[in-house]
Amino acid sequence: MRYGVQWLRSLLFNAQMYLAMAVIGIVFFPWALLSARGARAAAMAFCNWVRFSLHWIVGLRTEIRGNPPTGEVMIASKHQSFLDIIMIVSAVPAARFIMKRELLWAPVLGQYALRIGCIPVDRGKRSAAIKKMMIDVAKGAQQPGQLVIYPQGTRVAPGATAPYKTGTGALYLELGQDCVPAATNVGVFWPRHGILRKPGVAVVEFLPPIPAGQSRAEFMARLEREVEDASNALMREAGFDTAGSGGPDEIG
C-alpha cells in the first residue's frame, strides 16, 4: 500500500516538474534571448523549485555538502541521475556542462543549455569529441563559470561500475585550473529510469580541490579514488549496501 502511494506521489511530482520546466522556460524566454544571465536565472528558478517540490511531494530532501566553488574551476562529478545535475546547478553560480549532443533537441532544456554555455559533444566519436571539447572550452575561456564534466561519461547506477574516461584528464591539463571533485548518492532515491522517487536525504558533496599541475595519470587516479570513496560513503549512509548488489529497504 505504501509503495503504491509513493508511486502516485512520484508520478505527480514528475508531471508537475516538467510542467514547471515549460512554464519557467516560457516566462524567462525573452530575458534569456537577450542575456545569458536570464537563462541562468531560469535554470536556477527551475532547480530550486524541483528541490522544494521533491521534498514537499515525495519526502526526498536534498543537501549540499562541502564548499561549492564560485571561481573558475572544473567540477568533475559522479553522475547517477537528473537530480545531481539539478543540485549542482542550484549550488554554484554559473555551471556549464559538457553534455551529449542529443540533449540539444530536448524541448526547453536544450535551448537553455546552449544559452548558459554548455558544450555539446558527440560521445560516439571519442577522440574527435575530446578535441572538439577542448576547442570549445578554449573559445569560452573568458566566460566566467564552473565547467562541469562527468568523468564516467554517463549515469552510473548505485553499485554499478564504469571506467573514468581520458577526456577529463585532457581537459584538466588543457585548462590548467584546479578541479573540484563531487560525490553523490542521488541514484539511491532517484534512479536513472522509472517513475518512483524514494524519501530520504539525497546529497551532493563537493570535495577538496585537486590543484592544477599534476600529471594526467596522478590526477585521474586521485580523482577516481576520491569520488568513488566519497560516493560509496554517502550511499552507505543512505542505507545502500555498496559491498553487494542490494539497496535500501523497499518502501512499504
Side-chain angles (χ1 to χ4, degrees), residues 192-247:
R192 294 182 302 163
H193 306 293
I195 291 173
L196 183 65
R197 308 288 181 251
K198 300 177 183 179
V201 182
V203 179
V204 167
E205 181 178 4
F206 293 97
L207 306 175
I210 300 175
Q214 297 189 12
S215 70
R216 183 187 298 191
E218 291 172 331
F219 166 72
M220 290 301 296
R222 178 174 171 182
L223 175 67
E224 181 170 358
R225 180 179 67 253
E226 294 184 359
V227 170
E228 292 300 309
D229 287 351
S231 294
N232 285 337
L234 291 174
M235 287 187 283
R236 287 193 296 270
E237 179 183 314
F240 186 86
D241 180 11
T242 57
S245 58

Side-chain angles (χ1 to χ4, degrees), residues 43-213:
M44 191 69 72
F46 171 71
C47 292
N48 287 336
W49 171 255
V50 170
R51 293 181 65 184
F52 167 77
S53 61
L54 191 60
H55 184 199
W56 177 46
I57 297 173
V58 302
L60 176 54
R61 293 192 294 112
T62 55
E63 181 179 323
I64 302 295
R65 296 182 185 174
N67 297 310
T70 58
E72 291 286 320
V73 298
M74 180 173 77
I75 298 172
S77 176
K78 186 79 172 175
H79 187 23
Q80 293 184 337
S81 76
F82 186 37
L83 181 55
D84 53 66
I85 296 176
I86 290 168
M87 292 176 67
I88 289 173
V89 171
S90 69
V92 302
R96 52 194 180 107
F97 291 77
I98 302 292
M99 68 180 196
K100 57 184 180 182
R101 184 171 296 277
E102 303 93 284
L103 288 176
L104 291 178
W105 302 105
V108 183
L109 184 64
Q111 291 77 15
Y112 272 89
L114 283 180
R115 290 297 291 152
I116 67 173
C118 292
I119 301 168
V121 298
D122 184 354
R123 292 193 302 172
K125 300 176 181 178
R126 182 181 298 178
S127 60
I130 292 173
K131 183 177 180 180
K132 176 70 162 54
M133 192 188 304
M134 289 165 46
I135 291 172
D136 287 345
V137 169
K139 286 180 179 177
Q142 301 306 314
Q143 298 177 9
Q146 298 78 44
L147 180 64
V148 184
I149 186 169
Y150 292 113
Q152 291 169 296
T154 188
R155 294 170 296 175
V156 179
T161 60
Y164 278 54
K165 300 183 181 297
T166 59
T168 304
L171 278 173
Y172 168 77
L173 295 178
E174 177 74 14
L175 292 170
Q177 296 175 347
D178 292 353
C179 174
V180 176
T184 190
N185 67 359
V186 300
V188 174
F189 307 100
W190 180 322
R192 294 182 302 163
H193 306 293
I195 291 173
L196 183 65
R197 308 288 181 251
K198 300 177 183 179
V201 182
V203 179
V204 167
E205 181 178 4
F206 293 97
L207 306 175
I210 300 175

